[in-house]
Amino acid sequence: MPIRSFLHMPQLTAMKNYFALREWITMLLVMLLLAAGLGWQNGLGRLDLTIYDQLISASPRPAREDIIIVAIDDYSLAELGRWPWPRERHAQLIDQLSAAQPRAIGLDVILSEPEPAPRLGDMALQAAMVRSKRVILPVVITENGVDHTATPPIAEFAQVAKGLGHIGMVIDPDGVLRSAFLDETSARGTWQHFAAMIGSDQLPASRHRERPMLIPYAGSSGHVMSVPYAAVLRGEVPAAFFTNKYVLIGATAVGMTDAYPTPLSGEAGGMPGVEISANILASLLDERSLVAARPWQTALLSGLPVLLAMLGYLFLSPRTGLLATAGLLLTSLAVALLAFRLGLWIPPAAACIALIIAYPLWSWRRLDAAISYLSQEFGRLDSEPHLLPEQRQREPRNTDVLERRINAMKNAARRVRDLRKFVSDSIDSLPDATLVTTVDGYVLLSNKHAVDYFGRVGFKTINGALLPYLFATPGQTVPHAFDPDLEGPFDWWDLLDPKRAATFADGIGYRNEAGAELLVRSAACRSNEDVLTGWIVSIVDISAIKSAERSRDETLRFLSHDMRTPQASILALLELQADPTSALPEAELFSRIDKACRKTLGLADNFVQLARAESHEYRLEEHDFQDIVFDATDEMWTLASSKKILIRNELTSEHFAVRVDRGLMTRAFTNLLSNAINYSPEGTVITCALRQRTTLLGTLVVCDITDQGYGIAASDQVKLFHRFQRVDQPNQPRHDGIGLGLVFVKTVIERHHGEISFTSKVGLGTTFTVVLPVISVHT
């Protein structure tokens, strides 16, 4: 089996498609595993954290008015002395706040050790907490390897406090505090968060949570309303200010080191722990909990856009695939933003990275496959016989694979351009209007004759036009086909019908709206695999051929009748003369034979003169047009005198210089004067008048030949210049002739770039007007 046939086997094509699909499935699985693996990390370090921080920064909200921080700030330290303060002072503050009836008091102060004896401060603080019944105390959570250690307040405080809550925080690897566990479990029990315990009267019962809660910060440090500890202690803040509010007491002073970096820290520095607890409390009260998606959820949502992208790459073009990848990137970010608004943080970096890797990887594989395929095709193309002669290109030495492929593509592209140029030049050199169309009939190529032809009927551009619409004229969809061999009705769409290709291979006769007779051929264009790829349509103007055929038929009819009739008459006379009983007198016999011979000679002479007029052998010389008129009138003077008809020349002294064949032009005017004499009664006048006409195109000489004859009926005027047409009236004498005289006149005048026209009325005469261009005019 030849190699070329083997490469085009359907089984091999199917195998290629199978390998391409298998490679796509392999890459799909790899990219899904990559996306899922990255998504399972549930955050790709700084990249996802940066996106998260930007989302937090873009979602500020007003601070709640029912949460107040009593701040152990630098002002209070300056007013009340250095830390630690006596616990009697905390007891005094709790009594003042309790008097205002707040909802809860969160004392964010570590009380895990008793005071030295006699412990008066511990007893005072314990008594204040008993009176208040609103105080929440913190539990310190520390990590000890894989276990957590809880350090609650001393028993005296733990027993009288309203509740205990842990103040443990989750610090991310970059040192930023973004989340906290609402529940912490240790060997000593399970503890709710300090903020959750403060708002427990307004919050539903807490459940044990394994995942940390992402803190939806309302603002940067200082965003929550706060008042100095010292000002509250001295009674400078009205008691009503704390009524029915959540009060958190904690350190905000810089030197007390209870501050952490947050996504909103920026230039504001770390946020105090008490304010972080206030943000957690606010989010719980607002029901704005924010939790991170589970690893399997992030993996699933990271793989979904990759799956969609790979499906798109299988069916879309590279440009559309790139746009689809960009759209999926934006969609992934939009989904992350929407989920964030709904309280679920889905890290989008895994999906984005997988999408960014998938497009160039698949494009590289597709490009590599395309280059490999083209290289094979170029190699096979180069090994095939070349259709056009060309110089052999020397292969450069020491070239790599890519450069050899580029050179092969250059050679193939050059040959395609040369072949297209050859085809275009070949089509353009064809003598007939030729079009090459698609299977649907859209014009791809056209030569200059086709452009000229359709340009005359109003089409400025034909490439890209639909073939049937080029032929169809406005208001007409059925063509005037005059081909007698055409079977059935014909429509221009039939030129594109493969079933009728054999019918139109030899062409069909067609007459357009201008009256031109055309031959339209349609041939199928097929590929190397015998698949129909288009049509080649040619248009041949056969008007001259049809005219010649009609002239031939008319000539044959003339020869079979008019030319044979005089000869038959002579033979009949000779047969009669052989019989003594029917013999004519010798004088009459000779007279009749002379008349028949002269008629035959006249007919032959008319044919010879018309053939000469229709030939291209004109001997043009410069003459004065008046001399030609004088020659014609002199030649017809005898005939006119025999009918007592006067020929009057109304000429001027001007010189009308024309370039004409004097013999043919004189004969033409002789024919016009002969017709005027033959079709005029005796005693009339024929006038030959010359005048000058000036137009934008130059100077013209106009000759009017006017008779006072019988005139021409309106029904006969349309056939006046046609072959073998006579226009004798019933009431006028009949004259010999076969109807070639005026055809000869019209042919000669038009060959000299002139015009002939006439006006006539029955009974009033006829005027023939001849117009010819003048070379120069001298007065």
Side-chain angles (χ1 to χ4, degrees):
M1 179 184 295
I3 296 178
R4 182 176 178 182
S5 301
F6 173 75
L7 291 173
H8 288 86
M9 289 179 60
Q11 295 86 346
L12 185 59
T13 303
M15 289 177 65
K16 291 180 180 179
N17 295 336
Y18 169 75
F19 288 140
L21 181 61
R22 188 175 65 178
E23 184 173 355
W24 177 84
I25 293 175
T26 301
M27 186 170 295
L28 173 64
L29 294 177
V30 170
M31 295 310 303
L32 287 178
L33 289 175
L34 175 64
L38 294 177
W40 194 267
Q41 304 298 319
N42 216 15
L44 299 180
R46 192 61 197 165
L47 183 58
D48 276 317
L49 294 178
T50 300
I51 298 174
Y52 174 84
D53 293 347
Q54 293 298 321
L55 293 177
I56 288 290
S57 300
S59 306
R61 62 184 188 276
R64 289 181 63 99
E65 296 181 355
D66 57 350
I67 298 177
I68 301 173
I69 295 176
V70 177
I72 305 174
D73 53 4
D74 294 328
Y75 171 77
S76 299
L77 291 175
E79 292 292 320
L80 302 178
R82 57 186 298 180
W83 189 263
W85 293 333
R87 291 180 179 177
E88 292 92 340
R89 189 171 294 168
H90 297 321
Q92 181 182 357
L93 179 65
I94 290 174
D95 286 337
Q96 289 184 339
L97 292 174
S98 299
Q101 297 295 315
R103 289 186 176 179
I105 300 173
L107 181 60
D108 190 8
V109 177
I110 304 302
L111 302 172
S112 59
E113 295 181 358
E115 279 186 331
R119 300 182 62 188
L120 297 178
D122 288 347
M123 291 185 292
L125 181 56
Q126 182 182 17
M129 293 171 62
V130 171
R131 289 190 296 270
S132 174
K133 298 181 181 180
R134 294 179 174 86
V135 178
I136 308 297
L137 296 180
V139 176
V140 178
I141 302 294
T142 57
E143 292 188 9
N144 183 14
V146 295
D147 197 5
H148 292 168
T149 300
T151 305
I154 60 176
E156 292 87 340
F157 298 148
Q159 294 172 357
V160 298
K162 181 181 178 181
L164 303 178
H166 77 88
I167 55 173
M169 303 293 179
V170 180
I171 307 297
D172 290 332
D174 60 350
V176 179
L177 195 154
R178 297 182 178 87
S179 58
F181 281 99
L182 291 183
D183 298 320
E184 283 283 4
T185 301
S186 68
R188 301 184 64 176
T190 298
W191 314 91
Q192 289 191 10
H193 195 274
F194 180 68
M197 291 300 299
I198 294 175
S200 59
D201 59 335
Q202 296 292 324
L203 299 175
S206 176
R207 298 178 302 166
H208 179 72
R209 301 188 182 183
E210 297 179 355
R211 289 185 294 164
M213 166 192 170
L214 294 172
I215 305 173
Y217 292 97
S220 59
S221 179
H223 184 69
V224 181
M225 186 184 308
S226 65
V227 292
Y229 187 107
V232 177
L233 189 62
R234 291 196 294 253
E236 297 175 1
V237 179
F241 184 72
F242 301 102
T243 301
N244 205 30
K245 294 180 180 178
Y246 300 97
V247 180
L248 285 78
I249 305 170
T252 62
V254 176
M256 298 184 69
T257 66
D258 187 23
Y260 304 90
T262 67
L264 301 177
S265 292
E267 297 180 357
M271 181 178 291
V274 66
E275 190 169 358
I276 293 174
S277 297
N279 276 274
I280 296 174
L281 174 60
S283 66
L284 294 175
L285 293 174
D286 293 336
E287 297 182 355
R288 294 179 60 89
S289 61
L290 182 61
V291 296
R294 295 185 181 275
W296 68 267
Q297 293 174 329
T298 307
L300 179 62
L301 294 175
S302 298
L304 181 60
V306 174
L307 174 62
L308 295 176
M310 291 300 297
L311 288 174
Y313 299 158
L314 189 61
F315 301 104
L316 301 178
S317 65
R319 177 179 297 180
T320 309
L322 178 60
L323 295 176
T325 302
L328 289 171
L329 281 170
L330 295 177
T331 302
S332 299
L333 295 175
V335 169
L337 174 61
L338 178 61
F340 179 84
R341 300 282 187 183
L342 298 176
L344 180 66
W345 164 238
I346 304 174
C352 294
I353 290 176
L355 287 173
I356 293 173
I357 294 175
Y359 179 78
L361 185 61
W362 174 251
S363 298
W364 167 72
R365 286 302 305 138
R366 182 155 53 179
L367 181 61
D368 184 68
I371 292 176
S372 299
Y373 171 76
L374 291 177
S375 298
Q376 296 174 6
E377 290 296 320
F378 290 151
R380 286 194 290 267
L381 181 63
D382 189 59
S383 63
E384 291 183 358
H386 300 163
L387 298 178
L388 301 177
E390 62 181 20
Q391 293 182 351
R392 187 67 180 177
Q393 303 291 327
R394 178 176 296 180
E395 291 290 340
R397 297 181 178 180
N398 300 326
T399 56
D400 60 7
V401 175
L402 179 59
E403 188 171 356
R404 288 198 298 271
R405 292 178 178 178
I406 293 175
N407 291 332
M409 185 172 184
K410 286 182 179 179
N411 292 331
R414 175 178 52 79
R415 288 170 186 157
V416 170
R417 288 193 297 268
D418 292 344
L419 184 59
R420 178 179 175 83
K421 178 65 175 174
F422 172 77
V423 172
S424 298
D425 291 345
S426 300
I427 292 177
D428 208 43
S429 63
L430 294 177
D432 304 323
T434 305
L435 305 170
V436 179
T437 74
T438 63
V439 176
D440 298 331
Y442 289 95
V443 178
L444 295 176
L445 294 175
S446 57
N447 63 359
K448 58 184 179 181
H449 300 293
V451 174
D452 293 340
Y453 172 78
F454 288 106
R456 290 193 296 271
V457 296
F459 291 96
K460 296 181 179 179
T461 303
I462 60 177
N463 285 355
L466 197 57
L467 181 68
Y469 293 161
L470 292 175
F471 284 105
T473 57
Q476 174 193 337
T477 57
V478 180
H480 300 296
F482 59 79
D483 196 331
D485 298 331
L486 187 65
E487 298 180 359
F490 168 67
D491 192 83
W492 288 122
W493 291 99
D494 294 341
L495 293 174
L496 310 175
D497 187 359
K499 298 180 180 179
R500 307 194 69 178
T503 304
F504 305 124
D506 296 330
I508 63 162
Y510 162 69
R511 184 178 295 107
N512 64 13
E513 292 300 307
E517 296 177 81
L518 309 172
L519 185 68
V520 181
R521 295 190 182 97
S522 175
C525 182
R526 297 186 178 275
S527 66
N528 189 43
E529 289 77 17
D530 199 31
V531 177
L532 180 65
T533 58
W535 300 92
I536 301 176
V537 179
S538 61
I539 308 165
V540 185
D541 191 343
I542 58 173
S543 300
I545 297 175
K546 288 293 184 180
S547 177
E549 290 178 353
R550 287 191 292 269
S551 177
R552 180 198 62 189
D553 294 341
E554 292 170 351
T555 302
L556 290 175
R557 287 195 300 270
F558 164 72
L559 291 174
S560 64
H561 182 268
D562 293 78
M563 290 290 287
R564 293 181 66 226
T565 299
Q567 307 304 317
S569 298
I570 294 174
L571 292 175
L573 288 172
L574 293 176
E575 290 178 0
L576 290 173
Q577 198 67 22
D579 186 359
T581 59
S582 61
L584 296 175
E586 185 175 333
E588 183 180 356
L589 174 65
F590 288 156
S591 174
R592 292 193 177 194
I593 291 176
D594 178 78
K595 183 177 180 181
C597 290
R598 289 183 182 277
K599 183 176 181 180
T600 302
L601 182 62
L603 293 173
D605 184 59
N606 284 337
F607 252 92
V608 171
Q609 291 296 333
L610 180 59
R612 183 186 171 193
E614 291 177 343
S615 71
H616 299 282
E617 299 178 0
Y618 277 51
R619 293 186 293 272
L620 301 180
E621 297 175 350
E622 184 176 345
H623 296 282
D624 185 356
F625 192 71
Q626 293 190 97
D627 295 340
I628 295 174
V629 175
F630 279 129
D631 290 346
T633 55
D634 288 344
E635 187 173 343
M636 289 293 101
W637 183 83
T638 302
L639 179 62
S641 297
S642 65
K643 293 189 65 174
K644 300 179 183 180
I645 294 176
L646 174 63
I647 299 178
R648 182 170 60 200
N649 291 330
E650 296 181 356
L651 307 179
T652 65
S653 59
E654 295 178 301
H655 179 76
F656 300 99
V658 293
R659 285 185 59 82
V660 296
D661 186 316
R662 183 163 183 165
L664 290 175
M665 188 62 70
T666 301
R667 179 62 183 267
F669 275 87
T670 300
N671 283 1
L672 288 175
L673 290 173
S674 176
N675 280 346
I677 294 171
N678 290 331
Y679 291 96
S680 295
E682 295 183 356
T684 57
V685 177
I686 297 175
T687 304
C688 294
L690 290 181
R691 52 193 170 91
Q692 176 181 307
R693 181 193 300 170
T694 302
T695 66
L696 296 176
L697 299 178
T699 304
L700 305 174
V701 58
V702 181
C703 179
D704 295 321
I705 299 178
T706 305
D707 62 50
Q708 299 173 342
Y710 307 111
I712 305 171
S715 59
D716 293 331
Q717 292 182 10
V718 294
K719 57 183 180 179
L720 193 61
F721 292 107
H722 291 76
R723 292 171 178 258
F724 309 111
Q725 298 293 327
R726 297 172 56 87
V727 291
D728 295 327
Q729 298 295 325
N731 59 346
Q732 70 184 43
R734 181 172 180 80
H735 300 279
D736 294 334
I738 58 173
L740 293 178
L742 288 179
V743 177
F744 171 82
V745 172
K746 180 177 175 63
T747 302
V748 172
I749 297 299
E750 290 181 347
R751 286 295 182 90
H752 286 85
H753 306 290
E755 296 178 359
I756 182 171
S757 59
F758 70 93
T759 58
S760 181
K761 291 186 178 180
V762 176
L764 299 180
T766 302
T767 298
F768 281 90
T769 301
V770 177
V771 180
L772 290 170
V774 174
I775 299 175
S776 61
V777 180
H778 303 282
T779 57

